Amino acid sequence: MEADGCMISLQREKRKKHELKVGISYEGWRRSGGEKWSTAGRRACLSAADGGTFLSCWSADLACVYDHAKVGEVIWSSDGASWLAKGPDLFSCTHAQLDRFHLKRSLARALGFSGEASRLFSLACCGRAAEVVRELERHLEKATEERKKKRIAEAISYASSLSAWLCDWRKVIPAKEDDRSPGAIEGNVDKLAADRFKKRGRSWRICGADHMCQIIELKENGELSSFISKRVK
């Protein structure tokens, strides 16, 4: 399971921005040609509701598809946002990990696209959070530019607050040869939400955005035609 948010512009509302919630679930990976992989059994969930409501609706939707009592392992991946904090417990996740994209981006912002950033990323994926924080603190001591100090401090805070989520799930649970690390949510947020809601200067009412989220969700899950047929009848 992977989840993330997408900020959209509002019109005729008291505030200018609002965050859409996007979640995807899938059952594994399959090779889609050469070295490319795609998710298998993917299911999407979108909403303009608050975080708690989104997670509850997502849970209810998956309960219509899976018998949770018979699901042996659930892997959770997110950027660690506060509204996602209850996700791993709600879905009885076997292992929760910080999204690799956000982890790598945090280290790259602090240290640049360097060998040192790559080395610390590898340490983090092995669950050596204390070592990563220690190394970042050394870089902070040596830094002279205020901008760089700020970014390193942010990386330290990020890694420290989510230290239990740094380790890659394949280091904790025996993985099969074709198992990959989660990382599909960024592309899905772009295709499912950003492309429809943000590009070409679009702005929304919250209720209208939520309705569009439901339409996209039905379409992506192959349920739009049957939904329309039921409404017509």
Side-chain angles (χ1 to χ4, degrees):
M1 300 180 69
E2 301 187 45
D4 202 355
C6 176
M7 297 300 296
I8 64 171
S9 298
L10 298 179
Q11 59 172 306
R12 291 181 289 157
E13 298 282 3
K14 292 182 179 179
R15 60 182 187 274
K16 294 182 178 180
K17 297 287 185 179
H18 183 73
E19 185 178 37
L20 301 182
K21 279 72 176 178
V22 181
I24 58 169
S25 62
Y26 49 96
E27 299 165 9
W29 297 264
R30 59 170 176 260
R31 197 181 291 274
S32 56
E35 294 300 315
K36 294 182 178 180
W37 295 81
S38 60
T39 54
R42 185 182 71 97
R43 189 171 182 84
C45 183
L46 290 85
S47 176
D50 62 272
T53 301
F54 167 76
L55 291 174
S56 297
C57 290
W58 194 11
S59 177
D61 176 69
L62 290 178
C64 297
V65 181
Y66 301 104
D67 180 351
H68 289 315
K70 295 180 180 179
V71 176
E73 295 173 348
V74 181
I75 310 303
W76 174 271
S77 176
S78 74
D79 65 355
S82 57
W83 63 272
L84 289 165
K86 295 181 180 179
D89 290 332
L90 178 64
F91 294 102
S92 301
C93 294
T94 315
H95 180 73
Q97 73 172 51
L98 185 62
D99 178 68
R100 304 295 92 171
F101 169 80
H102 290 90
L103 173 59
K104 185 174 287 186
R105 184 178 67 177
S106 175
L107 293 171
R109 282 178 173 175
L111 305 175
F113 293 96
S114 61
E116 178 65 0
S118 298
R119 186 179 73 86
L120 294 186
F121 176 75
S122 298
L123 289 176
C125 291
C126 292
R128 294 159 69 176
E131 199 170 334
V132 172
V133 171
R134 221 168 27 243
E135 291 291 332
L136 286 171
E137 288 173 342
R138 288 175 186 166
H139 284 285
L140 181 60
E141 290 175 1
K142 296 176 182 178
T144 55
E145 297 179 10
E146 289 301 320
R147 188 177 178 184
K148 187 169 185 178
K149 285 182 179 180
K150 181 181 178 182
R151 289 183 173 179
I152 295 175
E154 288 172 349
I156 291 172
S157 176
Y158 195 49
S160 299
S161 61
L162 296 165
S163 59
W165 287 25
L166 295 190
C167 189
D168 189 290
W169 76 276
R170 293 170 295 179
K171 305 290 184 182
V172 180
I173 302 169
K176 299 187 290 292
E177 185 179 351
D178 291 343
D179 283 340
R180 327 299 293 173
S181 182
I185 191 61
E186 284 300 315
N188 278 271
V189 166
D190 184 61
K191 293 171 185 173
L192 299 179
D195 188 58
R196 182 64 182 85
F197 287 92
K198 297 180 70 171
K199 296 179 181 179
R200 292 178 287 279
R202 291 177 176 137
S203 57
W204 301 79
R205 296 293 302 276
I206 294 176
C207 61
D210 195 53
H211 292 160
M212 181 58 70
C213 280
Q214 294 175 50
I215 292 171
I216 293 172
E217 180 182 317
L218 286 167
K219 177 178 178 291
E220 288 300 314
N221 295 336
E223 299 168 350
L224 183 58
S225 296
S226 61
F227 177 81
I228 291 172
S229 298
K230 289 177 182 177
R231 296 283 291 181
V232 170
K233 290 177 184 177

